[in-house]
Amino acid sequence: MNAPLYNAEVLRLATGNPCDARLTDPMGSAERRSMLCGSRIIVDVDLDDAGRVALVGMQVNACAYGQAAATLLARHIIGRSSGELDTMRDAVARWLAGEGTLPDWAGLDALAGVVPHSARHGAVRLPFEAAADAARAALVPAT
């Protein structure tokens, strides 16, 4: 018998985002949208002098899996570089496509039930895609 798509851990994560408000004046910001399911996320970041994420803010309008992924991202993004976020974005995409192993991101195993449900993959990828884009944008000097 298959495990249910939505379980107690996914639902708990979906309501536990510690960074559920946007930053007032972020160094970098990115919005991503899933055309398949309609999920939408905006991620704002500030970087420290070493180019690592120091602050994060989000606005998330997504299904439970998108919200849960955003929570996991928010809990573990501080201290990550733009390059690390690019690598994680790509690793999550490969994992969901069945082309890679579970990425090394704390708690991501709680979302393993989504792998056979390709219609939900976009929602899980969104936070990681937006975070990588926001961190890259933060590295570009404002004009």
Side-chain angles (χ1 to χ4, degrees), residues 19 44-57 72-86 88 105 131 135 139:
C19 303
D44 300 322
V45 298
D46 282 346
L47 304 180
D48 63 17
D49 291 339
R52 297 187 171 276
V53 176
L55 290 172
V56 64
L72 292 173
L73 175 79
R75 287 181 180 173
H76 305 290
I77 192 173
I78 301 300
R80 305 286 182 135
S81 69
S82 176
E84 289 172 312
L85 294 174
D86 286 342
M88 185 53 55
W105 192 274
L139 291 172

Side-chain angles (χ1 to χ4, degrees), residues 57-105:
M58 297 182 193
Q59 181 179 332
V60 181
N61 299 93
C63 68
Y65 267 98
Q67 292 176 39
T71 295
L72 292 173
L73 175 79
R75 287 181 180 173
H76 305 290
I77 192 173
I78 301 300
R80 305 286 182 135
S81 69
S82 176
E84 289 172 312
L85 294 174
D86 286 342
T87 298
M88 185 53 55
R89 175 203 58 216
D90 297 343
V92 168
R94 283 192 306 275
W95 170 61
L96 290 170
E99 300 168 359
T101 59
L102 177 71
D104 185 20
W105 192 274

